[in-house]
DNA sequence: CGCGGGTTTGATCCCAGTCAAGTCCCGTGG
DNA sequence: CCACGGGACTTGACTGGGATCAAACCCGCG
């Protein structure tokens, strides 16, 4: 691990860790701060693929094609560990434990992306926002970022949330307004007032298929 | 590898490999046939998270939580290799090469899910369908399933495609009709007539006149 | 004070969802 | 042989959620 790590990186808000199309030889684990992974479409639209929180692995997806398929941009001051992709083979040879952990994280990521796909594909604006706020809050408080008053730091703009949920900025704003009695997001921090009600709205519990013809 | 593999599995069309919520101790690699990974929402909606093609790894996402977050359902007769999750540690210890390959595949999967998210979040129905047909065709022909006449087997229903792209069945049908001059999908096989035009549609903003200009 | 980025709100428009009928194509049974 | 039924696919008419357009507003900052 010691040999593997290639130094810490500090990134200021608004600055990119790497850009779409870059052939970067590094990947990262986030230690502090928050950011987004965004993908740009030819027409200039932006999609936030996911948010980056402490503990996340960033940039591993580009391992295959070489060129990154998205940009990573800091939303607050970030600190990350940098690793060299070239030495991944080494890691797999010398530290199966860590290699396994890496796969575990990748699987968790994939799990989350699957949920996101279901949300974008099937849910209404209100459900999406409720789901997003809930997920974000839970994730952040899970890594111990909840303050005594129950608020978590959330340094993004409405534009980011809009691009994450595939909604227009205007409609995102209106939807947030409708949710304000359940969750309050202002001045860079998010506080849940009525989490159960939010969960209800998000329909977060994924149900089983109605009929289960057994094999 | 020999010790690791836990036998082949055959699945008939319409039958589930595993169900959402199951605590299965296996994961699989697809050898033949095609299927879908679907996620069910409480309201009865269905989201196709992705399609399963030969070479894909299936069921690894459930490694963490134990319970699967989606069901895998065969669309045509499938043959898969079954592996025991319990022995993954072993694999990582004894065969770093294979462990690395597994991570590579997971990263590829994540890459693809990211593209899907961008598609669901930002693109119109016409763009989504064009993108999907293109992706599916390329994937299938990459694994050598293209017939001499350029068609690939595609055993799904319009419902599956609709649930994959987050569109209603009706609108999916109408959109497919508009694309019929570029791609023909009938009787379980898909043939691209004008791939460049499809790519154009998938990437650029919809440059076509709105209503029925294509017939 | 003016400027620019982020947020809020109202008015209008349109893409895609929903409802409702068909049509085509099987496989089954009279 | 045809009648029947069910599943997939089509097509048209109508509706509505969210996009788009257009203005304010509300800061912090030079």
């Amino acid at each position: 691990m010691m040999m593997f790590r290639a130094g810490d990186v500090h990134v200021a808000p608004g600055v990119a860790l790497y850009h779409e199309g870059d052939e970067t030889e590094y990947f990262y684990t986030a230690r502090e701060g928050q950011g987004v992974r965004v993908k740009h479409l030819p027409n200039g639209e932006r999609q936030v693929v996911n948010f980056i929180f402490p503990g996340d692995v960033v940039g591993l997806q580009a391992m295959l094609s070489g060129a990154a398929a998205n940009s990573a941009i800091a939303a607050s001051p970030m600190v990350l560990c940098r690793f060299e992709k070239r030495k991944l083979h080494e890691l797999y040879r010398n530290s199966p434990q860590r290699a396994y952990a890496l796969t575990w994280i990748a699987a968790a990521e994939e799990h989350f992306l699957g949920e996101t796909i279901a949300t974008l594909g099937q849910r209404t604006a209100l459900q999406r926002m409720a789901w997003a706020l809930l997920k974000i809050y839970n994730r952040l408080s899970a890594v111990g970022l909840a303050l005594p008053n129950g608020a978590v730091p959330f340094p993004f703009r409405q534009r980011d949330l809009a691009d994450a949920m595939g909604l227009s900025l205007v409609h995102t704003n209106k939807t947030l307004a409708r949710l304000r009695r359940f969750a309050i997001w202002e001045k860079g921090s998010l506080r849940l007032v009525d989490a159960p009600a939010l969960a209800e709205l998000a329909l977060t519990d994924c149900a089983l298929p109605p009929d289960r013809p057994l094999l």
Side-chain angles (χ1 to χ4, degrees), chain A:
Chain A
M1 176 64 164
M2 330 298 142
M3 327 170 5
F4 188 52
R5 181 189 254 162
D8 281 4
V9 182
H10 291 251
V11 187
V15 174
L17 192 54
Y18 59 84
H19 284 285
E20 219 163 330
D22 281 358
E23 298 247 355
T24 168
E25 46 201 296
Y26 304 106
F27 69 94
Y28 309 82
T29 60
R31 299 173 60 82
E32 293 175 29
Q34 303 173 39
V36 285
R37 271 178 34 218
V38 300
K39 211 167 169 20
H40 290 270
L41 296 167
N43 57 359
E45 297 294 327
R46 225 174 60 120
Q47 172 70 35
V48 170
V49 177
N50 69 2
F51 294 95
I52 302 168
F53 298 130
D56 284 344
V57 172
V58 188
L60 205 56
Q61 321 79 24
M63 200 169 63
L64 34 119
S65 57
N70 47 237
S71 315
I73 301 183
S76 62
M78 295 190 73
V79 182
L80 307 97
C81 287
R82 193 172 66 175
F83 300 97
E84 296 189 39
K85 286 178 189 168
R86 284 178 17 243
K87 297 196 176 163
L88 254 186
H89 281 101
E90 222 173 273
L91 177 77
Y92 272 71
R93 240 180 292 113
N94 301 333
S95 181
Q97 214 61 266
R98 288 187 178 284
Y100 188 82
L102 203 58
T103 303
W104 195 92
I105 292 178
E109 181 89 1
E110 185 174 343
H111 174 91
F112 178 75
L113 293 186
E115 275 197 47
T116 303
I117 287 176
T119 299
L120 293 186
Q122 307 296 129
R123 303 211 245 244
T124 67
L126 194 66
Q127 294 174 316
R128 293 185 202 193
M129 290 302 314
W131 177 83
L133 294 179
L134 211 49
K135 282 287 166 183
I136 287 162
Y137 185 89
N138 288 339
R139 184 72 170 73
L140 283 172
S141 72
V143 293
L145 284 179
L147 303 175
N149 66 358
V152 297
F154 189 56
F156 301 94
R157 317 264 145 244
Q158 292 189 356
R159 158 101 280 148
D160 298 315
L161 208 35
D163 289 341
M165 303 313 286
L167 299 169
S168 72
L169 174 58
V170 171
H171 198 59
T172 296
N173 181 325
K174 287 171 179 169
T175 306
L176 280 171
R178 293 174 62 194
L179 288 174
R180 208 146 283 158
R181 56 173 317 195
F182 307 116
I184 297 176
W185 171 28
E186 55 184 10
K187 301 205 181 100
S189 77
L190 172 66
R191 194 159 38 86
L192 299 194
V193 179
D194 188 350
L198 262 192
E200 179 71 20
L201 280 178
L203 295 171
T204 212
D205 27 315
C206 277
L208 296 175
D211 47 51
R212 287 193 45 167
L214 191 64
L215 63 125

